[in-house]
Amino acid sequence: NAIFLVNIFSTWSAYVGGWFACTVVLDTVGFVIPLLLATPVAVFSTVGLCTRHDQFVNSVLACGNDAGDSFDAYGIIPICLAFMWVSQIICCLFYVSRTRLIPLIKEEKLFIQSYYNCPFTEQSLMLNRRTELDDERLVDPCEVARNSRVFVCTTMYREELHEQRQLLESIHGIDCEQARFPTRKFESHVFFDGGAKGRHTTKFANQLFSLLHETLSIDLHDGHKWKTPYGLQFRWNLPGGMPFYVHLKDPNKVKKKKRWSQVMYMSYVLDFCCPKTECDDDSTFILTTDADIVFSREAVEIVIDLLCRDQQVGAVCGRVHPLGSGPVVWYQIFDYAIGHWF
């Protein structure tokens, strides 16, 4: 019973340890090397224990005598064991070379079957690992993230000057990193509620336009202007190559308030932008923000990584941290934390 329990616990520990090593991208140290050393360590440990009590030597001699001494038992057994171990090394290295290193990958995406074989633990772990060879449907989330298209959609109404400035500075930070990821495409769309009245822009829209040269390093006169069914549309190309759109809604032509602006940009992206650009739905994302939110490139990278890691995830929410100080901000910190975690 004790030997049986030790076998169960040790094999389970090996399975969990191998899964953990792969999720933290320590495949070589925590997965490959233990699999390669498990067999010789077990063989030499068994030989050492049995030789101490002369059991192994007597059993080998008996085997050789029963076979008519047709072969040298001491010579053929180590050769066979060495050949089997070398074969295991070759297979293990070949499989590992065709395996993608994906951080924090889920168990069902790491192994073909979520189980392990107690008698042949290392062999089952090695052959159960998903690779490009045995799973053609295996999607590399890093490849999806590199070739993704992100629409940054922001709703705006009557934000203060500093709030508009911090939004434009966040967009500028994303644009500056475009060169690092040339295959990933970003587009920024600002939907301004009440930003137009007929063919004229309103006070708060003009306030936003006055910040473009300071924050985005673009000239106001370099943009393009169109009259649309909902009001006016402006477009600029930022220095990093990212298109920047400002959609000014006329309350006499389209419904007011930010909730309708959200419906509007969802329909705009899904029904107009995606068919026009012929982008893949699995690699197209909509980053929704408010005008008073400051976000960084690193935060966007984390959100995209979470979405690409699991194709069954449809939406990811980043945690909001209030700015400022005082009792109101303390309450907001508590309220936002409750809303994020619960």
Side-chain angles (χ1 to χ4, degrees):
N1 293 334
I3 297 177
F4 180 71
L5 293 176
V6 169
N7 187 9
I8 292 178
F9 180 76
S10 59
T11 52
W12 176 81
S13 301
Y15 177 80
V16 174
W19 165 78
F20 179 77
C22 293
T23 55
V24 297
V25 199
L26 292 175
D27 296 52
T28 303
V29 178
F31 190 77
V32 177
I33 295 179
L35 290 182
L36 296 179
L37 296 180
T39 299
V41 168
V43 170
F44 285 116
S45 299
T46 304
V47 171
L49 292 174
C50 293
T51 305
R52 182 176 301 177
H53 301 285
D54 295 332
Q55 295 177 358
F56 180 75
V57 176
N58 295 332
S59 61
V60 169
L61 291 176
C63 178
N65 293 331
D66 293 340
D69 295 331
S70 59
F71 60 88
D72 186 3
Y74 287 104
I76 196 66
I77 292 180
I79 293 176
C80 293
L81 294 177
F83 177 77
M84 293 172 61
W85 187 51
V86 171
S87 302
Q88 183 179 357
I89 292 177
I90 295 174
C91 293
C92 190
L93 294 178
F94 178 73
Y95 266 81
V96 170
S97 65
R98 303 304 298 269
T99 301
R100 300 186 181 99
L101 301 179
I102 302 173
L104 301 179
I105 187 172
K106 290 192 173 182
E107 184 181 7
E108 58 269 17
K109 293 184 177 294
L110 180 64
F111 297 112
I112 300 175
Q113 298 290 338
S114 298
Y115 72 91
Y116 58 93
N117 191 311
C118 289
F120 305 99
T121 307
E122 59 270 25
Q123 288 79 11
S124 66
L125 285 175
M126 180 181 65
L127 299 177
N128 200 24
R129 181 78 160 85
R130 286 187 186 272
T131 64
E132 299 176 358
L133 301 176
D134 49 36
D135 192 353
E136 297 179 353
R137 299 173 299 174
L138 186 62
V139 179
D140 186 2
C142 299
E143 188 70 20
V144 175
R146 281 192 295 267
N147 298 319
S148 59
R149 193 177 191 91
V150 182
F151 295 91
V152 184
C153 298
T154 307
T155 57
M156 187 173 290
Y157 181 45
R158 292 187 175 182
E159 276 71 21
E160 298 293 336
L161 184 67
H162 71 279
E163 294 176 331
Q164 294 180 348
R165 178 182 285 108
Q166 66 187 16
L167 169 69
L168 296 178
E169 289 175 351
S170 299
I171 295 175
H172 179 67
I174 299 295
D175 178 64
C176 292
E177 297 295 329
Q178 277 280 89
R180 293 184 56 217
F181 304 96
T183 58
R184 180 184 299 171
K185 304 299 180 183
F186 280 92
E187 286 188 21
S188 179
H189 296 264
V190 176
F191 289 81
F192 210 116
D193 213 307
K197 289 184 178 180
R199 303 185 62 179
H200 303 284
T201 57
T202 60
K203 171 186 174 182
F204 288 93
N206 292 332
Q207 177 179 280
L208 176 68
F209 292 150
S210 67
L211 297 172
L212 296 183
H213 180 72
E214 175 188 351
T215 56
L216 299 180
S217 302
I218 56 176
D219 191 350
L220 187 64
H221 301 287
D222 292 338
H224 301 275
K225 176 183 177 182
W226 296 275
K227 186 178 180 181
T228 61
Y230 56 82
L232 299 174
Q233 181 186 119
F234 294 83
R235 182 195 175 189
W236 292 268
N237 287 326
L238 301 185
M242 182 173 70
F244 176 69
Y245 293 85
V246 177
H247 307 265
L248 302 182
K249 294 171 54 181
D250 190 341
N252 297 321
K253 296 181 179 180
V254 69
K255 290 188 175 182
K256 298 184 286 185
K257 303 213 173 175
K258 289 188 175 182
R259 291 295 174 263
W260 286 108
S261 296
Q262 292 175 340
V263 174
M264 179 178 169
Y265 67 62
M266 292 291 288
S267 176
Y268 178 78
V269 171
L270 296 176
D271 299 333
F272 179 76
C273 294
C274 289
K276 182 180 178 180
T277 56
E278 297 181 355
C279 51
D280 187 12
D281 293 341
D282 293 334
S283 59
T284 302
F285 308 100
I286 300 176
L287 176 63
T288 65
T289 65
D290 283 334
D292 57 349
I293 296 294
V294 179
F295 56 91
S296 62
R297 178 193 60 83
E298 291 78 10
V300 177
E301 292 285 337
I302 293 173
V303 171
I304 295 176
D305 179 66
L306 291 174
L307 285 170
C308 295
R309 192 179 303 158
D310 191 351
Q311 295 295 317
Q312 296 180 351
V313 175
V316 174
C317 178
R319 185 172 180 179
V320 180
H321 300 275
L323 300 176
S325 60
V328 177
V329 176
W330 301 341
Y331 172 75
Q332 285 182 326
I333 294 174
F334 172 77
D335 185 41
Y336 288 176
I338 293 296
H340 180 76
W341 295 110
F342 297 103

